Amino acid sequence: MRYRNRGFRYFLFAAVALLGATLAGADAFRVADINTTNTSYDGLQANPGVVLGSALVFGVETRLDGRQLWRSDGSVAGTALVKNLEPGDDNGGSPRLVKLGALAYFNSEDPAGGRELWRTDGTAAGTFRLVDIVPGPLGSNPNDLTVVGSTLFFSATGANGTELWKSDGTVAGTVEVKDIQPGATSSSPERFVALGSTLFFTADDGTSGRELWKSNGTAAGTVRVKDILSGAPGSDPEELTVVGSTLFFEAKGAANDGELWKSDGSEAGTVLVKDINPTAGSFPFHLTALGSQLIFLGDDGTTGYELWRSNGTAAGTVLFKEIAPGPTGIDFYSDDAVAVLGSALIVTIDDSGPTGAELWRTDGTAAGTFQLADLLPGPDCSCAESFLVLGSVILFQASDLNLGTELFRTDGTIAGTALLEDLLPGGDASGPFPLGAIGSVALLLANGAVDDGELWRSDGTAGGTFALADPTPEAFTPSSPREMTDSAGTLVFAADDGIAGNEPWRSGGTPATTSLMLDISLGAGGSNPSEFTVAGNRTFFAANDGTGTGTELWKKTISGAILVEDINAGGGSNPTQLVEIGNSLYFQASDGTHGAELWRSDGFDTNTSLVVDLEPGVNSSNPFPIADSGAFGDGIIIGGTSTGVGNELFTLDGTGAAASLVANLNPGSTGSFPRDFLVSGTVLFLAARTAINGAEPWAIVDTGAGFTPIPLGNLNPGAVDSNPREFTNAAGTLYFVADDGAHGRELWKTNGSAATTVLVKDTFAGLPSGEATELTSFAGRLFFRACDATAGCELWTSDGTSGGTALFKDIFPGVGSGNPSFLTVAGDDLWFSACDEPTGCELWVSDGTPQRTRRASDIHAGFQSSNPHNFRSSVGDTPFAESAGRLYFAADDGSGDELWAVPEFLFDDGFESANTSAWSAVSP
């Protein structure tokens, strides 16, 4: 910023002195805590861990920060976060670790590398992605991690499909073992189990179906053990279980047959143990090793599933206890309700009878098989599960009628089976889940308060059982604001206050001006308002009043809200695609007679009517998108289905005159499904699909005398889609993203012809995709999110040249990804959500220079994320909402998603900082 008038410069400094406190403190603030009562589950999940050194390292997922690693030595001081692996929510479960030597391995995801193989030594610095098997953000998705000796085996998806891989813990030593089903088709290895120095698993080589395989870690030593059932289906071995030096499993030796088999790793030594049910198969399952014998459930066709044992011979494979006489049989309650304690198996058995699923003990004999306790008397189940062996006892969770699901223990005797501790007193459930043991101490995840997961420890005594840490300490009471839209200086949005359900709200930016617009659907169900749209001087939205009207068109009034018209009486017209064109509202709806067609409204029932029945009768044209065409066409453009041409592009003037076909880009009855419209003068840019070229970019010119379609190139040769998206005009250059099949999804530009449609830059060199997205025009150039091999997924900028397209700011230094999203231009600044390791995913701002691209607020203090966002049902993720000098968004400070705002900066030249050395004023 340059100031030519010296007096103005002094005036400006004086003004800054007056405004300094406000601007320096222009931090985000919670507008209102809309939901203060309806506590929801805090989303904390965890998986069992492994012991590294003197601590248990385990995976945790929180609703705010996704996947994390934690460690604990069983003490409060020794329980802490190791690393926030995937800042942000919705990351698909906590990590599952396996130990190899002094390290643990797991799969995790970052935006740059996708889901790949990671390693940890229990420290933040020693936790990182080991390899990027599939370069770029797609990931190889490693699964079934299994240690055999000094080798880690796993399945991963690479150039040859999903095949067998191994790792010795080094980058060079992480390689594909064998392409079992040659080519890109997958053999999909699974059900890994170690027997001595050999890995056994099942796979499909494309010829013999799914059969039993083994591997010593070499391609030559990776072979099919036996083709048990010839032909493509295969024997489909399951329940692979090691007892001593023998591998037991269930397999099909003939159609509709499943019996007990065993193998010593040789073809000759892979044999049927016993044909328990010659007629229909016994289908043994829950195979469990107990000393030198195998315990399992089998069905001989007479008794139903009952308890069997086997020593690997036909004579030694016998039914040893019929718990439920007759053909009904029994079942094990769950896979984590079985554990070996000394010479006995402790298991929760559902006897299908008077006691329900309760705790039993068996040593493989009839006399040694009995119920330990009927913890919940009668046919209801106590459902004992989540077993953890701790020395000479097992800790587990079970349900008691008065206590809820709490922590119990057993030493394998009737007298020694009892409640250990009521972690959440009263009838609510603490639901203790075992994470593992460190020495004589068990670590657990349990609710210390209703819907509040915490980390606990227990040494098997009541006094030695207490909480260690709470990764999500705040009460979770989200109102989940969404659909945020400006309505003449008032923000309108949907939210749930925990009493009225999801209903329409309004706010002027303070608690006093934030209120429920109307409880449209009485009770806690909510009307689920969506697609708030301003047309003319009215604000419209779709909502369901819960009285049988269905989802219809509503509008905001001075005092509340009112139904505009019951378009489809009793059935709901389901208005969608609400858009303002020429001060009127246009939308898609169905009146029950004409199908889903184009409608318009001025806010009154007499002026709410069908515009055009593009697909006559009850069939639907499903107009989408609906857009203002400006100087192109007749004022309105839609994609829609019409008999004879399929889904194509039409234009109309909204008066009720018939729609005109703009172009039949894909002749025939299917259509081209035009999408992603951008109008620039008399030219329309869009994506459309043809049978020959797939979904590719097009331009259509309105010549005044007709329309001229111009294909902008078959970017992905042949009929494969390049899927162009996000057409954006920045400083006179038309950008979009597309995938040409050679570079992944990258940034492109066009000047309206195939010759001028070119790749701007391959940010992630080669086939790995740069995953360009969030295209936004700001400060005279394009800003967007893209990924590369060294910086992860970060904020990029482009002036339309390859040299001028570069990383703008590495928000999360190194290969970690800042993952900027919800890019929004407001005031003189670019606002967005982004992530770094110290603070998680928070609100960021930029004035268009890297040095003043910084975190605006740490809403959820510390490493945890507030995840600023906005969401509209019709289009998904959208920019933040701007209204009356404030920028609004949803964020979570730990207590749940609520409505937040930040004042827009009046100017941005360092004045927002209290550090006056950052101020700049230059005069000639």
Side-chain angles (χ1 to χ4, degrees), residues 423-514:
L423 305 183
L424 181 54
D428 293 311
S430 70
F433 177 79
L435 305 176
I438 181 74
S440 60
V441 173
L443 298 179
L444 311 163
L445 172 65
N447 287 349
V450 176
D451 293 320
D452 182 23
E454 299 173 345
L455 301 176
W456 287 65
R457 60 95 77 185
S458 178
D459 61 3
T461 68
T465 303
F466 51 84
L468 294 173
D470 186 358
T472 55
E474 295 87 355
F476 184 48
T477 56
S479 69
S480 303
R482 53 184 292 167
E483 307 274 349
M484 286 169 272
T485 305
D486 175 56
S487 174
T490 296
L491 186 78
V492 293
F493 58 101
D496 184 349
D497 64 359
I499 299 172
N502 190 30
E503 293 288 357
W505 283 67
R506 69 180 94 202
S507 179
T510 66
T513 59
T514 302

Side-chain angles (χ1 to χ4, degrees), residues 401-671:
L401 186 61
N402 297 314
L403 301 176
T405 303
E406 289 298 342
L407 184 63
F408 286 73
R409 58 168 278 168
T410 183
D411 61 4
T413 68
I414 294 174
T417 302
L419 175 72
L420 172 58
E421 184 73 359
D422 187 4
L423 305 183
L424 181 54
D428 293 311
S430 70
F433 177 79
L435 305 176
I438 181 74
S440 60
V441 173
L443 298 179
L444 311 163
L445 172 65
N447 287 349
V450 176
D451 293 320
D452 182 23
E454 299 173 345
L455 301 176
W456 287 65
R457 60 95 77 185
S458 178
D459 61 3
T461 68
T465 303
F466 51 84
L468 294 173
D470 186 358
T472 55
E474 295 87 355
F476 184 48
T477 56
S479 69
S480 303
R482 53 184 292 167
E483 307 274 349
M484 286 169 272
T485 305
D486 175 56
S487 174
T490 296
L491 186 78
V492 293
F493 58 101
D496 184 349
D497 64 359
I499 299 172
N502 190 30
E503 293 288 357
W505 283 67
R506 69 180 94 202
S507 179
T510 66
T513 59
T514 302
S515 62
L516 177 68
M517 190 184 300
L518 181 68
D519 188 0
I520 293 174
S521 179
L522 298 178
S527 66
N528 296 312
S530 63
E531 303 204 42
F532 290 91
T533 302
V534 176
N537 60 354
R538 297 179 178 87
T539 301
F540 298 88
F541 58 95
N544 187 334
D545 66 5
T547 64
T549 303
T551 301
E552 289 292 353
L553 185 66
W554 289 67
K555 69 176 180 181
K556 170 180 169 285
T557 65
I558 294 175
S559 59
I562 191 171
L563 176 69
V564 175
E565 183 179 358
D566 188 1
I567 295 172
N568 185 4
S573 66
N574 298 312
T576 61
Q577 312 300 322
L578 277 62
V579 61
E580 180 188 26
I581 302 176
N583 293 325
S584 292
L585 180 77
Y586 288 83
F587 57 99
Q588 176 191 135
S590 173
D591 63 3
T593 302
H594 297 91
E597 297 292 348
L598 183 66
W599 284 66
R600 73 180 293 276
S601 179
D602 287 337
F604 301 95
D605 56 355
T606 55
N607 293 326
T608 302
S609 58
L610 177 70
V611 176
V612 63
D613 189 7
L614 192 60
E615 181 70 8
V618 296
N619 294 327
S620 301
S621 70
N622 294 312
F624 170 77
I626 304 168
D628 187 337
S629 69
F632 179 92
D634 298 327
I636 303 171
I637 48 173
I638 61 172
T641 300
S642 181
T643 300
V645 298
N647 192 287
E648 288 290 355
L649 184 69
F650 295 84
T651 185
L652 63 160
D653 61 13
T655 63
S660 302
L661 178 67
V662 172
N664 191 1
L665 299 180
N666 188 27
S669 60
T670 302

Side-chain angles (χ1 to χ4, degrees), residues 34 147 286 290 325 333 351 364 534 563 603 626 716 733 763 771 788 863:
I34 294 171
V147 172
H286 287 306
L290 180 61
Y333 178 67
D351 63 4
V534 176
L563 176 69
I626 304 168
N716 200 341
T733 299
T763 63
E771 292 297 311
D788 68 10
F863 67 88

